[in-house]
Amino acid sequence: MIPSTTLHVSGERFLATYVLSGPVEGARSRAEGICVEQTIEFPADLVPDDDIRRHVIGRVESFDVAGPETAVARISYAVETTGFELGQLLNVLFGNCSLYPGVRLTAVDLSPSLLRAFPGPRFGVPGLRRLLDAPTRPIFATALKPMGLSPEVLADIAATMARSGVDVIKDDHGLANQPFAPWEARVRACAAAVSKVNAVTGRRTLYMPSLNGPISEFHERARIARAAGAGGLLVLPGLTGMDSIRWLASDEAIGLPIMGHPAYLGANVASPVAGIEHGLMFGTFYRLAGADLTVFPSYGGRFSFTPDECRSIADACRRPMGSFPAIFPTPAGGMTLARVAEIRAFYGPDTALLVGGDLQRGDLAENTARIRAAVEERPA
Amino acid sequence: MIPSTTLHVSGERFLATYVLSGPVEGARSRAEGICVEQTIEFPADLVPDDDIRRHVIGRVESFDVAGPETAVARISYAVETTGFELGQLLNVLFGNCSLYPGVRLTAVDLSPSLLRAFPGPRFGVPGLRRLLDAPTRPIFATALKPMGLSPEVLADIAATMARSGVDVIKDDHGLANQPFAPWEARVRACAAAVSKVNAVTGRRTLYMPSLNGPISEFHERARIARAAGAGGLLVLPGLTGMDSIRWLASDEAIGLPIMGHPAYLGANVASPVAGIEHGLMFGTFYRLAGADLTVFPSYGGRFSFTPDECRSIADACRRPMGSFPAIFPTPAGGMTLARVAEIRAFYGPDTALLVGGDLQRGDLAENTARIRAAVEERPA
């Protein structure tokens, strides 16, 4: 038995919804197990009738049997368990119970003090629209590729893209620090090329280099990119951690829009009986960390997300969330000119359409101008 | 069509094995799709007959149908695609294809230059055995808990654990920077308490505080912990990124043993038709990053790993891997005194047994001494 403990807690709690798959008979006690696992991770019978029991252990707020093999538990946690830090918030929500069988985290209701603890998106939809001078239309994004080209050739491609009307040019998520195009040389060349075009066209194309490098150099690379004239930053939180987005978003001296990419995280959403719901993972968490755009593989491309899963991500980008602005869902993965109207109709105008390799099929400048025209068209 | 490109590449390649689930008719072309997706992510028909096609695009080295719904593809990649950085190595192995349906990464054969690019475990089994003066027996680890106790109470518990013979006391993975026990106050109190006991007993119990804080403070917290007398560091790469382990392992000035924890990563191994194989995820990758101990939920506890999955992790900790030492598999999650002999027989002596909350059931000092005696016993 541990000593009886008195704590100062606010009483404010946040909620997590878990879907428990498997025999419903044991589901209620599995939910109670999660309350313990995600907090004290300690035999509950060794805790006296004290404030740890009353406040620190999670609490089953509702429990419903939703099918022969499905139960839904809503569990609340004291905000203090998170220490108001993002990594620990995610840890309370899903750290150890990610290792349980048949547990999927499907929804989170954060409370006011938690939402205030994070800076959120610095730009979001309104801020990016101002930056890009694009008050209402969808944003047109593309990826600079392929890996293997030199900084000079990539910079030429970026210049053509900028000249022809792309709003956001992100590094392909696989461009890192390869000898073919070392990170700093590539970023300097591409940022300079895009800046030069912007000076001529008067447009404000944003070049967003990838920060998928050593985490020890993460902030320094962001600083170099900013000084070189980058217009934003691409972050792969599956590799650098979700909190790496928050690091940038909360740094006034960086102050650039952030695009989050889903690489390496797919298996976390893949199973209907494990992992994290799509909208929560790629919408809510990216937005909470401070991403202004969140890339995900759209339905109908070469990946596996369904229309409903994509809609869930888009909804999570937009629903009310403290004082955070909405952010841009950025469907990608097989987008083509032929699909612009359909994709726009599905996701609505507050969307960034990411057209990748297909842009370079035939004449890059022509293709780019055509998609720019398509995103500027008012839908019928 | 992109310009024809000449590259200087070494010709050295590394191998990844993917199990493709689903109709086998399309599996060969899915494997070829992965070769492109994980590298150039660009329409292959737009690449001329050049060095990008020859070297940068992945190559199917073997393809076998293993069952009516299962194919196995071994794909090689040029080492240069990784830029010799860990995040990008993981990205090439599984970044975008984590988002494909029915793809599981089951094995990796790294090549010499990649293994040389990373520092690997600074201590591993031989180094930790020297530090702990424990030449042959299993290591006895425990977790400091529960969340909600004050720094003083936690320090008292740590002192009792150290006095009674624990080798490694790690922070519970949920201890972060809660107001109940703010990170720095807690780490200073616990490190001091353990050091004081060590000075009396002559033993070398290692206290390993958790670095699950903001990534912006990650390195500074490691420095503070080291200065306060911590004997190692606990890292949760699901939250701070796998490269955060490498950051510490490669820093001479930190120079402490590192324990990796699996929190938040469970869904990546959960599905047999998605994600990453257990041994690869929690053995190979942690070891490659430089962890000296890797915690995972053992079979027979409250989690879901099978004996085979646990054995796969232990094997990955020990098989030959460049110049890296073996590391300690650290089975946890429901370990009890009653199971010490069984667990030891299953995993062998080069194992750290992590006994958690059960240690505090009844008399902590007695329980601890009993387990210490059990790990010192020569098996019959």
Side-chain angles (χ1 to χ4, degrees), chain A residues 41-366:
Chain A
E41 203 190 334
F42 189 80
D45 61 307
L46 301 185
V47 178
D49 184 20
D50 69 350
D51 283 348
I52 292 183
R53 176 175 293 280
R54 265 187 296 279
H55 297 292
V56 178
I57 298 178
R59 191 185 296 156
V60 178
E61 301 288 351
S62 72
F63 177 83
D64 298 288
V65 173
E69 292 272 311
T70 310
V72 179
R74 294 178 82 217
I75 294 177
S76 73
Y77 302 103
V79 291
E80 287 83 1
T81 59
T82 70
F84 303 94
E85 294 178 348
L86 183 60
Q88 175 60 10
L89 169 59
L90 298 176
N91 198 23
V92 171
L93 290 170
F94 203 58
N96 263 16
C97 73
S98 77
L99 296 151
Y100 274 178
V103 177
R104 185 163 170 97
L105 177 66
T106 59
V108 168
D109 295 297
L110 298 176
S111 60
S113 71
L114 277 178
L115 288 167
R116 280 195 308 269
F118 304 110
R122 181 177 294 268
F123 295 88
V125 170
L128 266 173
R129 288 201 172 287
R130 270 193 304 275
L131 264 190
L132 291 165
D133 193 19
T136 58
R137 64 175 172 81
I139 300 305
F140 172 18
T142 190
L144 194 56
K145 46 172 97 175
M147 184 197 293
L149 296 181
S150 66
E152 296 69 32
V153 175
L154 288 167
D156 277 352
I157 294 174
T160 303
M161 289 167 163
R163 204 176 296 119
S164 312
V166 175
D167 294 306
V168 171
I169 303 168
K170 73 168 189 70
D171 272 355
D172 198 29
H173 88 286
L175 296 188
N177 192 23
Q178 285 93 357
F180 324 129
W183 187 85
E184 188 168 340
R186 173 169 57 75
V187 170
R188 288 192 186 282
C190 296
V194 171
S195 298
K196 204 170 140 190
V197 170
N198 283 344
V200 174
T201 60
R203 275 205 288 250
R204 306 168 189 175
T205 300
L206 306 174
Y207 166 58
M208 302 193 178
S210 173
L211 293 181
N212 179 29
I215 192 67
S216 43
E217 296 172 32
F218 183 81
H219 192 269
E220 176 64 4
R221 286 196 188 175
R223 208 194 50 74
I224 292 170
R226 152 113 216 178
L233 299 164
L234 180 75
V235 180
L236 284 57
L239 296 160
T240 54
M242 195 58 72
D243 195 58
S244 65
I245 292 182
R246 185 215 47 86
W247 191 3
L248 299 181
S250 58
D251 187 333
E252 197 71 45
I254 299 293
L256 291 175
I258 299 164
M259 178 183 266
H261 190 280
Y264 205 68
L265 292 176
N268 290 281
V269 298
S271 164
V273 300
I276 298 175
E277 192 270 338
H278 289 72
L280 191 53
M281 182 78 176
F282 295 117
T284 306
F285 289 170
Y286 279 61
R287 188 177 172 199
L288 180 65
D292 301 289
L293 309 103
T294 180
V295 178
F296 61 92
S298 188
Y299 73 93
R302 63 189 188 276
F303 294 93
S304 56
F305 290 9
T306 65
D308 278 352
E309 289 162 354
C310 293
R311 201 185 313 271
S312 167
I313 297 171
D315 287 350
C317 290
R318 294 162 179 167
R319 75 167 59 94
M321 187 177 182
S323 61
F324 293 179
I327 65 171
F328 280 104
T330 306
M335 295 291 98
T336 60
L337 175 59
R339 294 190 66 205
V340 169
E342 169 215 343
I343 294 293
R344 177 191 183 138
F346 182 86
Y347 291 102
D350 285 345
T351 300
L353 307 179
L354 202 163
V355 185
D358 198 62
L359 211 55
Q360 299 193 48
R361 184 175 297 285
D363 188 88
L364 174 61
E366 266 175 39

Side-chain angles (χ1 to χ4, degrees), chain B residues 145-222:
Chain B
K145 46 171 99 174
M147 184 197 293
L149 296 180
S150 66
E152 296 68 34
V153 175
L154 289 167
D156 277 352
I157 294 174
T160 303
M161 289 167 164
R163 203 177 296 119
S164 313
V166 175
D167 294 306
V168 171
I169 303 168
K170 74 167 187 71
D171 272 354
D172 197 29
H173 88 286
L175 296 189
N177 192 23
Q178 286 93 356
F180 324 129
W183 187 84
E184 187 167 341
R186 172 168 59 74
V187 170
R188 289 192 185 282
C190 296
V194 171
S195 298
K196 203 169 141 189
V197 170
N198 283 344
V200 175
T201 61
R203 275 205 289 250
R204 307 168 189 174
T205 300
L206 305 174
Y207 165 58
M208 302 194 177
S210 173
L211 293 181
N212 180 29
I215 192 67
S216 43
E217 296 172 32
F218 183 81
H219 191 268
E220 176 65 4
R221 285 196 188 175

Side-chain angles (χ1 to χ4, degrees), chain A residues 18-60:
Chain A
Y18 301 94
V19 172
L20 308 176
S21 301
V24 293
E25 299 77 51
R28 171 86 205 194
S29 77
R30 287 167 63 206
E32 276 153 13
I34 290 174
C35 293
V36 172
E37 186 72 47
Q38 297 305 100
T39 54
I40 61 168
E41 203 190 334
F42 189 80
D45 61 307
L46 301 185
V47 178
D49 184 20
D50 69 350
D51 283 348
I52 292 183
R53 176 175 293 280
R54 265 187 296 279
H55 297 292
V56 178
I57 298 178
R59 191 185 296 156
V60 178

